[in-house]
Structure formats: structure tokens, C-alpha cells
């Protein structure tokens, strides 16, 4: 049984087709890069997997079951934009997550926040955008989930923090879980990816093992991506 | 073990090369127990699956072996390590001579340069 399976998925907004006939299988224990330029449908696909949008047609299964309440328990999702109440202190958000999710490990969250020098007594509104993004990533990675879906986790942070974030991802997912990371910052992330998915104009145009792709196309993922999507 | 990867070359091949060098240099000794896949991956800051792939290849060429419950070890056969070292040294020497050849220097000249390295 696949961890995630998508069959013949289509999504349109009005008469604009955003995703066209997406078929995808992701198994356990993989770090997968969902790579594409801006506006090609990455976030729409992620929102569909998280059951936040309704497909126009097609099906999505997580651990063999149609997505819904059960899949939300096993998916930890980092959205592109923050949804936390900025008036809350970090410690309050931790309590909130602890109440909300059975699989949330608040000890782990506190440890990671400490590693990142973030004060749990601080109000989110007093934190910079980058700091808020770190808090949000910590919250997501502190859930003991089966599938982590991170939408642009590196966007607003400096390169040093990017490295820390990649380490956090690597060190905090258990061997049976998988991680899907959507990004256009390929060079920063490609060394940790097992598999890459190239998405363009609403279609998956390539899904491959990263090292196999490097060997076959003779270059880095970043370079191969640039070659394929030359403007 | 902080290393920089070249994104143009498959990561597992680079890992494989690093570990070979550690074994040839004696940083990992003949018969010594190796760190776990997970610890290796954390140290190199790579994906555990990629690390596993590199270690499997090393196992295929007989440089390391797995004891079912104990983990992975460097081969106890010194000859395997010596042979690897010999091949590796030969490759390095060839690449040196090739470089010298490109600028019009033959073997004799190349050796002279090597001797100058002592001083």
C-alpha cells in the first residue's frame, strides 16, 4: 500500500485548468521535492492532498483510504502562509497544538525552539517573519506524522537558517514517514532529496530518483530543471 | 565530517568515495565497527536512504560487511584495503601524468617535479 496515491486528479478554478490528470505514488521513508516555477499548481496540489480544496475530478488516497478526517491526523502540513494567531505567545501556541493533535510532542517542540534561540514567552507579533516561519516549521516537525508536507519552507529565511531547517527536517522525520517539500530553491535542497517531481503548467512532467536523474542527465537537479524550463 | 557536496555528481557516489578514503587512510581501521546508517547520515547531513545506498555499494565490493545484529564493520581482510589503495594511487598518478602531458612534460620531467616536492 502506498503512503500517498493520486489517481487522475484534475482541478479547475472556473474554466481555468490548474491541474491536469495528475497521477502520483509516494511510498514510505522518502524525501520528495515538488519542484516547479511559480504559479504552476504546486500549492493547489498540496491543498488538495490536505483536503482543503475539492478536486474537480479524480481521487486521492492516504494509506489506502480516501482523504478526510483520518488523513488529517497523519499528515503534518506547513502552509505557505502563517495561520497562527499573532497575539499568542509561542508557549500558548504549543499548548494549543498539544490539545489539538494527539501526535504532537511538546517536549520536542520546546527543544527545537531552544536550539533556534527562539523565546517561548515571546508574542508571535513581536517576531520577525523569518522567526515566525521557524516557529511554524518547529510545530509541524514536532508532530509524529506519517507524511509531512512543507510548502515553500525556505522562502523567507536566510541561507544559514536554511541549512538549519534542512537539518531539522533530516533529523526529525522517522524512517517510515515521508516528506514532500515544495520549492523553487532547488540548489539549496537537492542533496537531501530521494525523489524529485517536476511540475509545469498543471502537469507532472517528470518523477524520478534524484541520483538516477543526475546520472542520466549528467548534471545537478537545479541545472536539469533550468534546462527543461528555460524561459 | 563536514563535507561539501557537488550537486552535479550523484550524492551516494560522493559518500562512497569519502568512506573509501576514510578506510584507506586508516581513519576507519580494518575490522572496526562503523557508525549506524542514521548516525552517518546525520554527520554527513544527507538523507538516510542515500547513505544506505552508499553503504550497500561498499558492501557489494566487499569493503564493509554487516553482522546481522551488530551493525556494519570494515572488512577484516587487509588485502582488500591494500588492493583498493593500490588502484586508487594508480588513478591519482595517472591523472597527474595526464595533467603534465597536457603541458608537454613527459614522465621523466614529471618525476623530477615529484622529487622537488620533498624540498
Amino acid at each position: 500500500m502506498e503512503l500517498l496515491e493520486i489517481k487522475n486528479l484534475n482541478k479547475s478554478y472556473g474554466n481555468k485548468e490548474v491541474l491536469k490528470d495528475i497521477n502520483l505514488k509516494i511510498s514510505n521513508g522518502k524525501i520528495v521535492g515538488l519542484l516547479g516555477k511559480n504559479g504552476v499548481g504546486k500549492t493547489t496540489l498540496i491543498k488538495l492532498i490536505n483536503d482543503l480544496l475539492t478536486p474537480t475530478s479524480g481521487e486521492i488516497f492516504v494509506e489506502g483510504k480516501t482523504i478526510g478526517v483520518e488523513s488529517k491526523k497523519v499528515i503534518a502540513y506547513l502552509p505557505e502562509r502563517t495561520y497562527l494567531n499573532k497575539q499568542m505567545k509561542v508557549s500558548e501556541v504549543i499548548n494549543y497544538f498539544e490539545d489539538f493533535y494527539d501526535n504532537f510532542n511538546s517536549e520536542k517542540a520546546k527543544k527545537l525552539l531552544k536550539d533556534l534561540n527562539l523565546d517561548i514567552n515571546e508574542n508571535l507579533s513581536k517576531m520577525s517573519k523569518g522567526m515566525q516561519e521557524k516557529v511554524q516549521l518547529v510545530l509541524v516537525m514536532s508532530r509524529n506524522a506519517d507524511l509531512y508536507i512543507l510548502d515553500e519552507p525556505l522562502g523567507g529565511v536566510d541561507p544559514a537558517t536554511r541549512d538549519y531547517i534542512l537539518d531539522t527536517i533530516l533529523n526529525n522525520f522517522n524512517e517510515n514517514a515521508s516528506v514532500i517539500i515544495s520549492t523553487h530553491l532547488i540548489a539549496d535542497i537537492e542533496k537531501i532529496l530521494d525523489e524529485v517531481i517536476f511540475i509545469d503548467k498543471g502537469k507532472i512532467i517528470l518523477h524520478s530518483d534524484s541520483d538516477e536523474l543526475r546520472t542520466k542527465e549528467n548534471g545537478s537537479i537545479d541545472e536539469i530543471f533550468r534546462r527543461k524550463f528555460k524561459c | 565530517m563536514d563535507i561539501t557536496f557537488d550537486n552535479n555528481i550523484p550524492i551516494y557516489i560522493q559518500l562512497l568515495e569519502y568512506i573509501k578514503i576514510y578506510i584507506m587512510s586508516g581513519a576507519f581501521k580494518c575490522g572496526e565497527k562503523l557508525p549506524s546508517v542514521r548516525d552517518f547520515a546525520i554527520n554527513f547531513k544527507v538523507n538516510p536512504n542515500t547513505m544506505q545506498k552508499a553503504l550497500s555499494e561498499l558492501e557489494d565490493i566487499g569493503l564493509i560487511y554487516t553482522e546481522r545484529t551488530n551493525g556494519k564493520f570494515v572488512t577484516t581482510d587487509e588485502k582488500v584495503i591494500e588492493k583498493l589503495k593500490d588502484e586508487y594511487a594508480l588513478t591519482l598518478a595517472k591523472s597527474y601524468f595526464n595533467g603534465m602531458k597536457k603541458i608537454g612534460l613527459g614522465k621523466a620531467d614529471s618525476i623530477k617535479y615529484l622529487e622537488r616536492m620533498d624540498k
Side-chain angles (χ1 to χ4, degrees), chain B residues 98-110:
Chain B
N98 284 339
M100 295 301 268
K101 210 170 160 185
K102 275 185 196 155
I103 56 166
L105 294 173
K107 211 168 181 176
D109 283 325
S110 302

Side-chain angles (χ1 to χ4, degrees), chain B residues 7-8 14 20 43 46 77 82 86-87 98-99 104 106 114 118:
Chain B
N7 281 337
N8 291 295
Q14 297 178 63
K20 275 186 185 170
N43 266 313
V46 295
D77 187 351
E82 285 311 314
D86 183 60
E87 286 167 5
N98 284 339
L114 284 180
D118 298 338

Side-chain angles (χ1 to χ4, degrees), chain A residues 175-224:
Chain A
E175 281 155 47
N176 293 319
S178 282
V179 186
I180 299 175
I181 307 173
S182 109
T183 189
H184 53 263
L185 298 166
I186 303 172
D188 286 325
I189 202 171
E190 63 169 89
K191 75 161 184 169
I192 73 162
L193 300 177
D194 283 297
E195 293 175 11
V196 293
I197 297 167
F198 284 4
I199 177 163
D200 192 39
K201 295 177 190 138
K203 281 187 179 163
I204 290 178
I205 60 164
L206 182 148
H207 181 187
S208 164
D209 176 274
S210 353
D211 273 348
E212 273 170 27
L213 186 65
R214 287 188 187 99
T215 311
K216 198 175 132 213
E217 302 273 337
N218 205 5
S220 66
I221 307 289
D222 189 51
E223 205 180 298
I224 298 162

Side-chain angles (χ1 to χ4, degrees), chain B residues 108-119:
Chain B
D109 283 325
S110 302
I111 291 167
K112 265 184 212 156
Y113 276 93
L114 284 180
E115 280 163 354
R116 266 172 68 179
M117 302 301 290
D118 298 338
K119 289 169 198 167

Side-chain angles (χ1 to χ4, degrees), chain B residues 29 35 45 57-58 64 66 68-69 73 89-90 95 115 117:
Chain B
K29 293 185 181 58
K45 297 184 177 173
E57 295 251 333
L58 287 173
I64 66 172
T66 305
R68 207 184 281 171
T69 50
F73 295 81
L90 210 59
S95 106
E115 280 163 354
M117 302 301 290

Side-chain angles (χ1 to χ4, degrees), chain A residues 29-31 167 170-171 173 175 187 190-194 211 214-215 219-221 223, chain B residues 3 5-13 38 41-42 44-50 53:
Chain A
K30 303 279 182 202
I31 303 181
D167 285 351
L170 272 178
N171 299 341
F173 82 106
E175 281 155 47
E190 63 169 89
K191 75 161 184 169
I192 73 162
L193 300 177
D194 283 297
D211 273 348
R214 287 188 187 99
T215 311
S220 66
I221 307 289
E223 205 180 298
Chain B
I3 58 173
F5 290 96
D6 177 352
N7 281 337
N8 291 295
I9 302 166
I11 307 296
Y12 81 93
I13 290 179
R38 187 125 186 126
I42 289 171
F44 282 121
K45 297 184 177 173
V46 295
N47 187 316
N49 295 318
T50 314
K53 192 169 175 191

